[in-house]
């Protein structure tokens, strides 16, 4: 939600405000789902409004046009994914444990938030480089946090010394993101089973033999 | 090259035939490069012909239209990649060794044949489901061969028993294909260094501790 719409909301009473915020969350979730399902170009504001159960004109309380929704879908996807994962990577505690938690949480996110991960991929494809910058930067921060975590795990004596933290972080995140391509709840795979395999496959190579 | 153009060639003398085959290889390589660089839609037959140094009309000795090139780019990419890798997976020998060879060869292919891997991705996106079938089938065969290899490695006592061969094969191939997203020769990474990391990261989790 941009500064203007937040400003509009702040004039309303708390119940109205809550209602508006809920509506807005729905708009973003429905946009993500439609972008993922039909593609950004084939999705119309009318369709988004219809699915949420509001008039198309009411969407303009929140946005200036469809392209604004790209940014909001990406922000929501990031706030559920990359930002949470960076937080886990940067917590206190032993590196190996944090790395285990990052891998499990990343795999779970990819598997359980398909609407936002698929919506993210589609929305990112249509973003101008200028508007993509904040998301690219957040992803870079996450990658850097994982890189530091691997270096820290080496220093703590639990990860192999003969691997490069940067190359390993790129390998690991590429692997975790690649789960999106095939790991679908409909396949009969459970979250637990996927996370177990992601942990074994993602961490196994990094650990000291 | 389709049956008709092979037929045309067989009437020519050996030197002419060789020349035509070389030209055809160039046409496919240039198509892959242009699809990867500019996208399939933005690439014209005129441009392909110009880069190869032939007249646009001469392309019709080999193909009926631009969409035929999709299939030829994919076949060339498969004959350099998936088909070779399936062959390695199905060789004689201990499973662990074959798996090491598959992982190294797959990582090397992704890294050194960017024109074909990027051309493959772009061409596959524009293929009709009907024409995509032969490639999807070849990829499925490769995945199945890796799955059998993992099961065999478990039976030979060198790979962990608590992982599922199918899920692990999907994880492993997803990881290896994901190298395409970031591992570029221009980054200063060497083939050797990438293959070493791919092997450590790809196989580490599968091996018995």
């Amino acid at each position: 939600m941009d500064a203007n719409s937040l400003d509009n909301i702040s004039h309303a009473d708390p119940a109205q405000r809550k209602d508006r915020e809920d509506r807005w969350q729905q708009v973003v979730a429905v946009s993500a789902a439609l972008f993922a399902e039909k593609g950004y170009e084939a999705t119309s504001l009318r369709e988004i409004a219809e699915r949420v159960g509001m008039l198309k004109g009411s969407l303009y309380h929140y946005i200036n046009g469809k392209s604004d929704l790209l940014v909001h879908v990406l922000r929501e996807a990031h706030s559920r994914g990359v930002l949470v994962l960076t937080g886990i990577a940067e917590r206190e505690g032993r590196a190996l444990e944090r790395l285990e938690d990052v891998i499990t949480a990343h795999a779970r996110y990819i598997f359980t938030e398909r609407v936002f991960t698929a919506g993210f991929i589609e929305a990112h494809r249509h973003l101008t480089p200028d508007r993509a910058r904040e998301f690219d930067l957040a992803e870079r921060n996450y990658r850097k946090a994982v890189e530091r975590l691997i270096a820290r795990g080496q220093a703590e004596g639990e990860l192999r010394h003969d691997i490069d933290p940067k190359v390993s972080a790129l390998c690991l995140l590429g692997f975790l993101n690649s789960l999106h391509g095939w790991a679908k709840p409909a396949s009969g795979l459970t979250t637990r089973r996927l996370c177990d395999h992601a942990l074994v496959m993602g961490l196994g190579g990094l650990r000291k033999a």
Side-chain angles (χ1 to χ4, degrees), chain A:
Chain A
M1 210 174 304
D2 62 25
N4 286 342
S5 47
L6 275 173
D7 209 43
N8 288 342
I9 286 174
S10 66
H11 294 301
D13 71 41
Q16 272 187 312
R17 185 181 173 136
K18 173 77 175 61
D19 187 52
R20 269 203 159 191
E21 277 173 0
D22 288 351
R23 279 302 190 89
W24 173 243
Q25 289 303 320
Q26 270 182 282
V27 168
V28 175
V30 162
S31 304
L34 285 169
F35 293 171
E37 195 182 301
K38 313 178 51 168
Y40 170 71
E41 271 147 11
T43 300
S44 67
L45 285 183
R46 178 174 305 279
E47 207 172 354
I48 293 170
E50 268 170 20
R51 274 224 201 166
V52 178
M54 66 202 281
L55 294 168
K56 182 184 161 191
S58 308
L59 279 175
Y60 293 101
H61 290 296
Y62 305 104
I63 52 167
N64 293 317
K66 192 172 77 165
S67 75
D68 283 357
L69 283 171
L70 291 173
V71 173
H72 292 295
V73 165
L74 289 165
R75 281 202 193 127
E76 183 65 23
H78 260 205
S79 78
R80 289 164 184 251
V82 163
L83 300 183
V84 174
L85 297 169
T86 308
I88 297 173
E90 290 177 337
R91 264 188 346 217
E92 299 288 304
R94 290 192 72 76
L96 183 64
E97 241 169 68
R98 282 187 283 156
L99 201 54
E100 284 173 355
D101 291 346
V102 165
I103 292 171
T104 308
H106 194 137
R108 182 179 296 118
Y109 171 69
I110 295 278
F111 194 61
T112 59
E113 298 264 28
R114 282 195 72 79
V115 163
F116 280 101
T117 49
F120 182 91
I121 294 167
E122 173 65 10
H124 197 278
R125 189 177 296 152
H126 289 88
L127 215 60
T128 58
D130 195 51
R131 293 181 105 181
R133 202 161 297 134
E134 79 177 87
F135 305 107
D136 297 342
L137 192 67
E139 271 158 60
R140 191 170 175 280
N141 284 342
Y142 175 41
R143 202 222 331 129
K144 287 277 172 198
V146 171
E147 193 179 318
R148 285 194 301 274
L149 204 48
I150 292 173
R152 177 98 193 154
Q154 290 176 318
E156 290 174 359
E158 294 188 290
L159 301 185
R160 296 170 65 130
H161 283 95
D162 59 349
I163 50 160
D164 181 277
K166 183 174 177 182
V167 176
S168 312
L170 285 162
C171 282
L172 179 60
L173 298 181
F175 160 59
L176 291 166
N177 288 329
S178 76
L179 298 175
H180 180 79
W182 62 268
K184 293 165 193 171
S187 67
L189 198 63
T190 62
T191 309
R192 174 71 185 276
R193 195 165 170 75
L194 179 73
C195 290
D196 283 350
H197 277 79
L199 197 57
V200 165
M201 303 283 299
L203 195 60
L206 294 171
R207 286 183 102 129
K208 266 194 176 167

